[in-house]
Amino acid sequence: MITSAKNEKIKALRKLHKKKERTETGTFLVEGNHLVEEAWKSNWTIMEVIAQEGVELPKWCEEIQVIFVTEQVFQHVSQTKSPQGIAAVVKIKQAMVDLDNHLLLIDAIQDPGNLGTMIRTADAAGFGGIILGSGTVDLYNDKVVRSTQGSLFHIPIKAAPLDTEIKQLKHNGYTIWATALQNAHNFSETNRNSKVALILGNEGAGVQQVLQEKADNVVKIPIYGEAESLNVSIAAGILMYYIKG
């Protein structure tokens, strides 16, 4: 039982709150019953479980190293307002996206909630994978992980430069769709192919012009009211379900 927040193990766990440490160790923190369970069910490697004293653990934890801590120490490790008393250190997995299915390409999305929601929606829509371009918020940021609601563990996601990925995807028979507000066709008037890679862009700037120019189709969702635009994760949901058709 670890009773002090100054314990070296606790200090190491807190360092995983930062991207630099996650990258160096190849691990990240997952918190809460549902997310820890999803990581285990999806066969991601759980290095260790951190459990608050008195919390009932699932049976599979018997196979894994468990570190028990006091409530005060767990709150020191936790990044949530109401911790459930269970967390896990999970090994980052190198993903291979499915090149026989639709793909979502993310161009510099910076809001963790937006990215997490887009990942969850891509999983629900049956997309084959997600590619994160430069400038995108870290996939293993705790707010991203939480807002995926476990979909992070179900759909392949990799980080790569989008310009080179688009070139390779075209070579593999993909039609590239980019979103824009100007000089774009209504999405519902655009033919759907069996292999579409959909690019969605930064909340403020949208998809970079250089990527729009590489796209086969530039599409928009019509705005019927007074709003200037849709939230990017909502737009992603509409377009992914249309493409999946």
Side-chain angles (χ1 to χ4, degrees):
M1 176 72 66
I2 295 177
T3 58
S4 171
K6 294 179 180 177
N7 180 280
E8 291 302 317
K9 169 58 75 174
I10 302 306
K11 288 180 181 177
L13 290 171
R14 278 183 60 83
K15 283 181 181 178
L16 291 177
H17 296 176
K18 299 191 183 325
K19 180 181 177 181
K20 180 174 179 285
E21 191 71 15
R22 293 193 292 267
T23 303
E24 286 180 2
T25 62
T27 61
F28 65 106
L29 265 178
V30 170
E31 203 181 321
N33 292 307
H34 174 66
L35 287 174
V36 172
E37 187 82 17
E38 287 299 310
W40 179 74
K41 286 198 302 192
S42 304
N43 291 321
W44 282 52
T45 302
I46 295 178
M47 311 298 287
E48 56 194 9
V49 168
I50 301 92
Q52 181 181 309
E53 60 181 330
V55 169
E56 189 174 339
L57 295 175
K59 192 163 181 61
W60 57 262
C61 284
E62 293 172 3
E63 306 164 19
I64 292 166
Q65 180 181 350
V66 179
I67 297 162
F68 291 96
V69 301
T70 61
E71 181 180 356
Q72 184 181 9
V73 170
F74 193 90
Q75 287 177 344
H76 195 66
V77 173
S78 172
Q79 291 179 278
T80 60
K81 288 181 181 176
S82 303
Q84 295 177 349
I86 183 169
V89 177
V90 181
K91 190 174 182 181
I92 292 171
K93 185 185 282 191
Q94 300 304 315
M96 296 287 290
V97 299
D98 178 5
L99 293 180
D100 289 318
N101 200 339
H102 303 305
L103 299 176
L104 178 64
L105 277 54
I106 306 284
D107 178 25
I109 295 293
Q110 294 178 333
D111 181 85
N114 281 339
L115 179 59
T117 301
M118 292 163 83
I119 291 168
R120 184 179 179 183
T121 309
D123 177 23
F127 266 49
I130 301 171
I131 301 172
L132 307 179
S134 60
T136 299
V137 61
D138 181 40
L139 174 61
Y140 301 106
N141 171 298
D142 72 294
K143 290 178 182 173
V144 176
V145 173
R146 282 204 302 275
S147 58
T148 69
Q149 284 292 303
S151 288
L152 163 69
F153 303 116
H154 305 154
I155 184 168
I157 307 168
K158 72 173 185 176
L162 292 187
D163 51 354
T164 54
E165 289 293 316
I166 288 167
K167 185 177 179 181
Q168 189 62 42
L169 289 171
K170 284 188 171 186
H171 182 72
N172 281 299
Y174 273 84
T175 301
I176 311 298
W177 288 28
T179 52
L181 296 174
Q182 309 295 329
N183 303 315
H185 299 285
N186 279 359
F187 76 94
S188 58
E189 298 167 3
T190 307
N191 290 330
R192 291 168 288 198
N193 301 74
S194 59
K195 294 170 77 170
V196 173
L198 169 67
I199 314 170
L200 281 124
N202 175 271
E203 290 87 349
V207 175
Q208 294 176 63
Q209 186 64 37
V210 67
L211 298 180
Q212 288 184 40
E213 289 168 5
K214 293 177 186 293
D216 300 296
N217 297 310
V218 179
V219 301
K220 65 180 179 181
I221 299 170
I223 304 288
Y224 299 112
E226 298 299 316
E228 287 186 1
S229 63
L230 282 167
N231 170 277
V232 67
S233 60
I234 298 291
I238 292 168
L239 293 171
M240 283 191 282
Y241 270 89
Y242 175 76
I243 287 167
K244 202 69 186 173

